[in-house]
């Protein structure tokens, strides 16, 4: 598995960590560098606590959904990009989709995420 595939797999493990606060914190720490950041049109946070809070808020807004990759990750140097969908476990619908660009640190953990929302629910 490439460094990009490993980083993206950890990213999705963090976004799909729906257990305890400690489990989410552990998944975020495995995926992101300590001073890592996450930025999309709705959030701009830095550090593990801020990232975990954004993930927890997404699960509060969309209970019963999980984040899934939509295609393969592509990467070069310390940058990768990939697409994703937020999928209902009940009916398979995916009301939210986007694409993210990540940069990695020397240990292969995420330094930055720049996210784009390609599809969002209306109203």
């Amino acid at each position: 598995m490439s460094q990009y595939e490993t980083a993206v797999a950890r990213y999705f493990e963090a976004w799909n960590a729906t257990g305890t606060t400690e489990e989410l914190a552990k998944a975020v720490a495995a995926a992101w560098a300590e001073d890592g950041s996450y930025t999309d049109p709705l959030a701009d946070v830095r550090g593990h606590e801020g990232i975990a809070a954004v993930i927890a808020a997404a699960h509060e807004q969309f209970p019963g959904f999980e984040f899934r990759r939509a295609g393969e990750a592509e990467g070069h140097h310390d940058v990768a990009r990939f697409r994703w969908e937020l999928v209902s476990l009940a009916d398979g619908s995916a009301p939210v989709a986007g694409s993210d660009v990540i940069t990695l640190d020397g240990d292969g953990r995420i330094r930055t995420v720049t996210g784009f929302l390609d599809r969002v629910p209306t109203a």
Side-chain angles (χ1 to χ4, degrees):
M1 187 180 294
S2 74
Q3 69 175 339
Y4 313 113
E5 290 293 329
T6 299
V8 171
R10 288 183 186 149
Y11 175 91
F12 280 99
E13 287 171 12
W15 275 97
N16 288 319
T18 57
T20 66
T21 303
E22 292 78 21
E23 290 169 336
L24 174 56
K26 184 177 178 180
V28 168
W32 269 270
E34 259 188 67
D35 64 343
S37 65
Y38 177 86
T39 303
D40 71 14
L42 305 174
D44 186 10
V45 295
R46 179 171 296 280
H48 291 173
E49 286 184 19
I51 294 164
V54 168
I55 293 170
H59 285 287
E60 286 178 24
Q61 184 175 1
F62 293 96
F65 284 75
E66 73 177 9
F67 288 87
R68 293 185 189 164
R69 287 173 52 165
E72 297 299 314
E74 297 179 282
H76 62 81
H77 296 85
D78 64 347
V79 179
R81 68 177 177 173
F82 55 93
R83 294 178 304 118
W84 54 267
E85 293 181 317
L86 183 61
V87 179
S88 168
L89 297 175
D91 65 14
S93 65
V96 183
S99 54
D100 290 350
V101 176
I102 62 174
T103 59
L104 304 177
D105 69 7
D107 295 325
R109 291 195 306 166
I110 298 168
R111 189 174 38 207
T112 65
V113 175
T114 304
F116 296 87
L117 299 174
D118 303 326
R119 180 174 62 237
V120 296
T122 56

